[in-house]
Amino acid sequence: MNTRAWIVFLDESGVSLLPQIRRTYAPRGRTPLLRHRLNWKRASMAGALGYHSTDPERGARLCFHLKPGSYDTTALIEVLEQMKAFYRGEQVVLVWDGLSAHWSRAMRAWVAEQDWLTLERLPAYAPELNPVELLWSSLKKRELANLAGDHLADVADATEQGIHRVNHNPRLPWSFLAHTGLTIHPPRPPNLRKDQ
């Protein structure tokens, strides 16, 4: 593994017009009601959360992509092309799960032509090792909680607001990374030091 590269975790998740039901407060005797259209339109989102392996001062970086429908190999290659521009061609070690589109023949052929990218696979059934899972949880508990949108654009707007919230709090992406329990080199990113 390249020791002077960005270590980037990537994961996909889905959102739909069906609300993410969460507990909430309401005056006694007035149970909140969520009214929504039984519409199954879905969008998919991909998040890439990374840190520089030797220079934590560069900060944790979050890259986000949202599209209608679901991801296949072609769509994921487009995401990786955008990620290449996001990291300006710097070396990236991408860590992701065993989704078939991640390891398809077309994906492996495309990656073989990329001199900036190295792939690593997460162990099977280990979502707790991927910090992007914590990002999805955060979005679904805050911005998407009990959201009964009329259009997929409503869900997309709320999701993007959540991404902005996470990006504007430099400690939050680091906390997602640290929560996995994986060793991050150097071990204490600058904004998680005890002296602050």
Side-chain angles (χ1 to χ4, degrees), residues 19-140:
Q20 301 279 329
I21 307 297
R22 296 289 183 256
R23 286 180 177 243
T24 187
Y25 294 97
R28 185 176 293 206
R30 292 196 213 153
T31 303
L33 298 175
L34 286 176
R35 299 187 191 285
H36 64 88
R37 303 167 192 217
L38 287 173
N39 191 326
W40 293 94
K41 282 188 179 177
R42 292 186 56 82
S44 294
M45 49 190 180
L49 179 58
Y51 68 97
H52 198 274
S53 60
T54 59
D55 188 4
E57 297 295 330
R58 296 173 82 173
R61 298 188 71 193
L62 176 61
C63 182
F64 178 74
H65 186 267
L66 182 72
K67 72 178 277 315
S70 59
Y71 285 103
D72 58 9
T73 299
T74 304
L76 284 171
I77 288 173
E78 289 174 17
V79 170
L80 294 178
E81 289 281 6
Q82 288 180 8
M83 200 169 85
K84 179 180 181 180
F86 184 76
Y87 284 100
R88 295 181 185 95
E90 290 189 73
Q91 292 297 304
V92 170
V93 175
L94 184 67
V95 183
W96 58 7
D97 58 29
L99 183 71
S100 60
H102 293 173
W103 301 98
S104 68
R105 184 174 297 155
M107 179 63 76
R108 285 180 288 156
W110 182 83
V111 169
E113 297 172 0
Q114 309 303 310
D115 61 352
W116 63 278
L117 183 63
T118 303
L119 297 183
E120 294 291 336
R121 187 176 186 153
L122 281 168
Y125 308 110
E128 69 279 1
L129 296 179
N130 194 333
V132 183
E133 294 285 354
L134 297 166
L135 169 68
W136 301 147
S137 178
S138 178
L139 294 177
K140 290 177 181 182

